[in-house]
């Protein structure tokens, strides 16, 4: 089992969010470079997540911990994934 297989990515979004569209593209590209996929969660279907993150959307979690919100920095994400994959 590779180190990358122990990495989980979760992108919290909501419909109609232009920042979410940008985040989806960034996460998809960077995660793909590491052979990873990600789960996208619509916070409107999860009241607890909506309450917790309503003003921070989009939110990227790596292994359950918030990594970035509002804008996903591709270089920062790449560095984090490289470190976790090592």
């Amino acid at each position: 089992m590779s180190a990358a297989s122990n990495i989980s990515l979760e992108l919290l979004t909501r419909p109609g969010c232009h920042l979410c569209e940008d985040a989806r593209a960034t996460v998809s590209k960077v995660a793909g470079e590491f052979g990873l996929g990600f789960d996208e969660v619509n916070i409107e279907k999860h009241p607890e997540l909506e309450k917790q993150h309503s003003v921070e959307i989009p939110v990227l979690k790596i292994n359950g911990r918030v990594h970035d919100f509002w804008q996903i920095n591709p270089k920062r994400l790449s560095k984090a994934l490289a470190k976790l994959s090592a």
Side-chain angles (χ1 to χ4, degrees):
M1 183 180 287
S2 72
S5 64
N6 293 324
I7 300 171
S8 70
L9 300 173
E10 183 178 56
L11 182 63
L12 307 180
T13 62
R14 73 165 22 109
C17 165
H18 71 280
L19 291 176
C20 297
E21 293 171 14
D22 294 343
R24 183 181 305 112
T26 298
V27 173
S28 180
K29 180 180 184 305
V30 176
E33 292 170 358
F34 287 86
L36 298 169
F38 66 96
D39 294 317
E40 185 171 344
V41 178
N42 175 353
I43 66 164
E44 291 180 356
K45 294 183 178 185
H46 301 273
E48 197 56 40
L49 289 175
E50 187 166 27
K51 181 179 176 184
Q52 186 177 5
H53 298 289
S54 64
V55 297
E56 298 173 339
I57 292 301
V59 175
L60 177 63
K61 292 184 177 185
I62 300 176
N63 295 339
R65 299 185 69 194
V66 172
H67 173 73
D68 263 335
F69 59 94
W70 290 329
Q71 294 184 339
I72 310 305
N73 181 305
K75 289 181 183 178
R76 181 171 135 77
L77 176 56
S78 185
K79 284 181 184 180
L81 294 179
K83 184 177 180 181
L84 290 170
S85 296

